[in-house]
Amino acid sequence: MKIVITGGVAGGATAAARIRRLDEQAKITVFERSGFISYANCGLPYYIGDVITDADDLTLQTPEGFFSRFRIDMKVRHEVTAIHPERKTVSVRNLETGQEFEESYDKLLLSPGARPTTPSLPGTDLKQLFTLRTVEDTLRIKDYINTHRPKTAVLAGGGFIGLELAENLQELGMDVTIIQRPRQLMNPFDADMAAFIHASMRRHGVKLALGHTVEGFEEADGRVKVLLKDEEPLHADLVVLAIGVTPDTHLAKNAGLELGIRDSILVNERMETSVPDIYAVGDAIQVKHYVTGHDALISLAGPANKQGRIAADNICGGDSRYRGSLGTSVIKVFDMTAAVTGINETAAKKAGLDIEKVVLSPMSHAGYYPGGKAMTMKVIFEKKTFRLLGAQIVGYEGVDKRIDVLAAAICAGMTAIQLKDLDLAYAPPYSSAKDPVNMAGFMAENIARGVLKQFHPEDVNGLPRDGSVTLLDVRTKEEYRLGHIDGFRNIPVDELRERMNEIEQEKPVYLICQSGLRSYIAARILAGRGFETYNFSGGFRFYDAVTNDKCLIESVTMCGMDR
């Protein structure tokens, strides 16, 4: 059997190696248009920032090493220019010699990936303007930095690449601005959780110009003038477009393969396309979202590797199936970690789901062991069934561990209540006896039993201030003095029983503390005396982060940015 694979990075390289392990006799040829195979896209920004210092470390394999181990022909700098399903061949161009030839196949696997989205704007061809997707892109940016020593950089786009590159350029001493049309970074997160990411970026000196539209680029005195809609332009020594990626599917389209959203390649659970004996994997394909079942584009290395393995199994006569993508991901934001899995609240509501959420701020490990830091965790679930839909966590140590547990729980079909039953590892340096994931489960159970009723940041402004309800802040007097929500009066939780006569029995009581724990205790004290109580989800720490970020975005001017 003769297998041809287009694309030798995550999905293609994984499939090639898996096919060889299943079929020692197969003839396998991989065509890769770049000069590198099996490279780590996610590591590219860290080479630019000198965290990774050896360019060889960016590639997990070489063509020579792949052939030596697997006897697979990895032909780099070879571009497949056309697919001919009717005669089961592909046209190939050797990019070094210009030679063109046809290669036949019994099975064809497409793993072309995605290309950086480049808007149709004037000036995108300037020499100071870059995209970042391949090793060659990385080397070009690094060479430009080493040669020209830029002092200022503008990054158009606030996704994974934009944030990672911003951190690395900032660490090199550049003045960095991220600019984008959406009013928040990292769209997989809800705006309230993205507030913590914004705060970390600003705290480390990265300027955020959110809600602004780039209209083009011009060269001015050796620099780039970034033209903005209804704003004065920015000036930078270096500009990187990081506004997302687009499935690279022109070959599939020209060959008549059925396409999906944004011209992605349509495949079934076996990674088969609409044309017999042609398979596709990776960033170029349309997938089903694991939670909603809706069509989606999810460009992540983990799914691409799994899809490559599944395609290889089926090419070799097996019957492997892809169950869908969950979108689990994690990112380093300077000293902080942010992670997400499943769908966020915004996506859940767009999908028409009736949802509930819990927000908590647990410590990364036992409070009595030194060095613990708070994380903020948001867990989304269906209101009636308590089916887990997604989670977001922002914090420091232990964020990656908890998001992986929650991702596994979603895949296992667990409810939010069942999180309380998970038997998770505990030792003081790593966790608490009641792990944060367990705590989310306890909160969900309290909601199910009617023990806990909540209100959220979006509800605060709508609370009446006419005395028809009681608004109560149960933190200490000092905490209250340092900042509180207008209309909330202060009775510390430890004084509540003795000051019960200050609270009118017939009025609902809305309670807040720093994290949500003391106010929950206060709610139970009051409920035990017959009061109707509502606890603020996430506490004042969460409210303060969300509202301060909202005010910053709404009032931001460009005056602090380089002109």
Side-chain angles (χ1 to χ4, degrees):
M1 182 167 59
K2 185 176 182 181
I3 298 105
V4 170
I5 299 174
T6 67
V9 191
T14 294
R18 175 70 171 171
I19 292 169
R20 174 57 73 227
R21 289 194 292 270
L22 297 176
D23 186 347
E24 181 63 21
Q25 305 306 317
K27 177 175 172 55
I28 308 167
T29 302
V30 180
F31 294 111
E32 168 57 45
R33 65 187 164 201
S34 77
F36 302 87
I37 64 161
S38 193
Y39 57 82
N41 295 78
C42 301
L44 302 182
Y46 297 99
Y47 176 73
I48 292 171
D50 289 336
V51 177
I52 299 170
T53 55
D54 189 343
D56 291 341
D57 290 338
L58 295 174
T59 53
L60 308 177
Q61 264 288 7
T62 64
E64 296 77 18
F66 223 89
F67 183 82
S68 176
R69 177 66 55 85
F70 298 109
R71 296 300 188 269
I72 292 172
D73 289 324
M74 282 282 186
K75 296 186 179 296
V76 296
R77 304 292 296 156
H78 281 69
E79 182 178 13
V80 174
T81 57
I83 303 168
H84 311 290
E86 69 284 354
R87 58 179 184 268
K88 299 186 79 169
T89 65
V90 295
S91 296
V92 185
R93 179 185 296 118
N94 183 325
L95 297 178
E96 292 182 343
T97 67
Q99 176 193 6
E100 296 187 8
F101 58 94
E102 279 198 13
E103 187 81 18
S104 64
Y105 66 83
D106 296 311
K107 305 285 185 181
L108 174 64
L109 174 63
L110 306 179
S111 182
R115 63 185 184 277
T117 302
T118 304
S120 299
L121 297 175
T124 54
D125 58 344
L126 295 177
K127 66 179 185 297
Q128 304 95 329
L129 193 146
F130 300 87
T131 58
L132 179 58
R133 184 67 178 175
T134 67
V135 174
E136 285 93 343
D137 293 337
T138 307
L139 298 178
R140 280 192 290 270
I141 294 173
K142 189 63 176 172
D143 180 66
Y144 185 85
I145 290 172
N146 290 338
T147 302
H148 296 88
R149 303 293 178 185
K151 295 180 180 179
T152 57
V154 166
L155 310 181
F160 287 95
I161 291 295
L163 264 66
E164 290 169 344
L165 194 53
E167 176 180 343
N168 281 278
L169 295 180
Q170 189 78 12
E171 296 288 358
L172 289 177
M174 291 186 213
D175 186 358
V176 180
T177 299
I178 296 178
I179 185 163
Q180 65 170 20
R181 186 181 303 167
R183 298 174 70 82
Q184 72 164 79
L185 303 175
M186 297 297 292
N187 282 335
F189 292 80
D190 287 313
D192 50 12
M193 296 297 288
F196 293 92
I197 299 174
H198 297 170
S200 179
M201 299 298 283
R202 293 182 180 116
R203 188 167 61 249
H204 288 88
V206 176
K207 301 181 180 71
L208 304 181
L210 307 179
H212 296 280
T213 301
V214 177
E215 294 194 322
F217 308 91
E218 293 178 358
E219 187 166 7
D221 299 324
R223 306 179 76 203
V224 179
K225 183 190 291 185
V226 183
L227 306 176
L228 306 176
K229 183 178 180 179
D230 301 325
E231 291 282 353
E232 289 296 313
L234 301 178
H235 290 81
D237 302 318
L238 169 72
V239 174
V240 180
L241 293 179
I243 59 177
V245 294
T246 301
D248 192 355
T249 58
H250 65 284
L251 288 176
K253 186 175 184 178
N254 292 339
L257 275 65
E258 192 172 345
L259 303 181
I261 54 177
R262 291 180 61 194
D263 280 350
S264 56
I265 302 172
L266 203 62
V267 296
N268 61 18
E269 292 178 324
R270 291 168 45 85
M271 302 290 108
E272 295 168 324
T273 71
S274 60
V275 174
D277 296 322
I278 301 181
Y279 298 74
V281 300
D283 294 353
I285 70 169
Q286 175 181 293
V287 298
K288 295 292 184 183
H289 197 286
Y290 190 91
V291 172
T292 65
H294 294 169
D295 295 334
L297 295 178
I298 297 179
S299 302
L300 293 169
N305 278 276
K306 295 181 186 72
Q307 293 155 10
R309 178 185 174 91
I310 289 167
D313 287 352
N314 295 322
I315 285 170
C316 294
D319 187 21
S320 292
R321 308 271 171 159
Y322 188 65
R323 297 176 63 195
S325 294
L326 196 55
T328 306
S329 51
V330 63
I331 185 171
K332 177 181 178 292
V333 185
F334 291 96
D335 57 344
M336 198 171 70
T337 301
V340 63
T341 189
I343 58 174
N344 61 25
E345 180 181 0
T346 306
K349 289 179 177 177
K350 283 183 180 178
L353 297 171
D354 188 15
I355 65 105
E356 183 59 275
K357 58 189 173 183
V358 293
V359 179
L360 57 159
S361 299
M363 296 296 287
S364 56
H365 60 242
Y368 60 84
Y369 188 88
K373 294 181 179 179
M375 66 178 71
T376 300
M377 177 186 295
K378 181 177 183 180
V379 180
I380 316 294
F381 49 91
E382 279 189 307
K383 186 168 285 187
K384 291 182 179 179
T385 66
F386 285 81
R387 177 173 71 107
L388 277 171
L389 301 175
Q392 302 156 61
I393 312 177
V394 180
Y396 300 88
E397 295 85 3
V399 168
D400 53 339
K401 167 185 173 179
R402 274 69 186 214
I403 208 71
D404 283 342
V405 171
L406 288 161
I410 295 172
C411 286
M414 294 177 63
T415 66
I417 297 171
Q418 289 175 314
L419 296 176
K420 69 183 177 62
D421 300 320
L422 290 175
D423 194 352
L424 303 175
Y426 159 62
Y430 302 105
S431 185
S432 300
K434 297 176 183 177
D435 189 87
V437 174
N438 296 137
M439 292 300 300
F442 295 146
M443 293 173 70
E445 181 185 43
N446 283 340
I447 291 172
R449 292 183 175 180
V451 173
L452 172 64
K453 296 178 182 178
Q454 302 184 106
F455 67 108
H456 304 284
E458 61 268 26
D459 302 320
V460 170
N461 289 340
L463 292 176
R465 265 65 171 185
D466 59 2
S468 58
V469 300
T470 299
L471 307 178
L472 205 58
D473 189 321
V474 299
R475 295 176 297 160
T476 65
K477 291 182 177 64
E478 180 62 20
E479 288 175 304
Y480 181 82
R481 186 185 64 80
L482 291 174
H484 59 270
I485 303 175
D486 289 344
F488 280 72
R489 59 192 176 98
N490 181 224
I491 299 180
V493 63
D494 293 336
E495 301 176 13
L496 188 57
R497 290 182 179 88
E498 288 71 36
R499 298 175 61 179
M500 200 68 69
N501 62 323
E502 300 178 29
I503 307 171
E504 296 179 61
Q505 181 81 45
E506 68 278 5
K507 296 178 180 179
V509 183
Y510 290 80
L511 299 120
I512 191 169
C513 70
Q514 192 69 8
S515 69
L517 176 58
R518 283 173 288 172
S519 52
Y520 170 66
I521 293 169
R524 297 312 304 151
I525 292 171
L526 291 169
R529 309 291 181 94
F531 287 87
E532 180 185 355
T533 61
Y534 297 86
N535 188 35
F536 186 83
S537 180
F540 185 79
R541 175 179 174 272
F542 183 62
Y543 175 85
D544 192 45
V546 173
T547 53
N548 280 340
D549 182 64
K550 188 168 183 282
C551 290
L552 272 172
I553 291 172
E554 289 178 349
S555 65
V556 70
T557 66
M558 310 295 280
C559 60
M561 300 175 189
D562 185 16
R563 294 296 180 191

